Amino acid sequence: QVQLVETGGGLVQAGGSLRLSCAASGRTFSSYVMGWFRQPPGKEREFVAAVSRGGGNTYYTDSVKGRFTISRDNAKNTVYLQMNSLKPEDTAVYYCAAKSGIAVITTTAYKYWGQGTQVTVSS
């Protein structure tokens, strides 16, 4: 069982930056692939980024490549999403999620989810 709590969301102007954090409970954090997803207003939840268990491999959706960076600190049971050059279309509720096995982009493959944190980018 893993419990996830996201923090760091807020209101930012276009071109600005935010850093999301996701703190996990439990002693097996390093055994899980971690992902970030987002759900824009009125749309389906979508994959943003994922990081392998050791942190050596990362994956991004095309729209955030070069702007967002996912990382993890297994000693702190925390995964991060650094978001730079934010755009109004990045506005969404951002969720972190955990799964065992290999990293994938499929939402339904992730077993554990946080409650989400709102990110709003003004133009």
Side-chain angles (χ1 to χ4, degrees):
Q1 190 78 12
V2 177
Q3 293 185 324
L4 304 172
V5 178
E6 304 98 334
T7 57
L11 173 65
V12 64
Q13 288 189 330
S17 298
L18 282 175
R19 188 195 196 198
L20 305 184
S21 299
C22 174
S25 65
R27 293 173 290 181
T28 58
F29 178 73
S30 61
S31 68
Y32 291 99
V33 167
M34 299 300 298
W36 284 98
F37 293 77
R38 65 186 180 187
Q39 188 163 14
K43 296 185 178 181
E44 298 284 318
R45 193 172 299 187
E46 62 186 19
F47 170 78
V48 175
V51 60
S52 61
R53 288 171 288 179
N57 294 300
T58 56
Y59 311 86
Y60 299 93
T61 192
D62 286 345
S63 62
V64 308
K65 285 179 181 177
R67 301 188 298 123
F68 291 11
T69 303
I70 188 172
S71 62
R72 66 189 296 163
D73 185 337
N74 286 342
K76 296 183 178 180
N77 282 12
T78 302
V79 62
Y80 305 97
L81 186 68
Q82 178 67 44
M83 305 186 295
N84 299 329
S85 302
L86 282 161
K87 304 176 181 180
E89 51 263 43
D90 294 318
T91 295
V93 178
Y94 283 72
Y95 300 87
C96 72
K99 69 176 299 293
S100 56
I102 62 173
V104 296
I105 67 172
T106 308
T107 305
T108 53
Y110 287 76
K111 182 176 183 179
Y112 302 106
W113 292 83
Q115 84 289 348
T117 186
Q118 177 70 48
V119 171
T120 303
V121 184
S122 64
S123 57

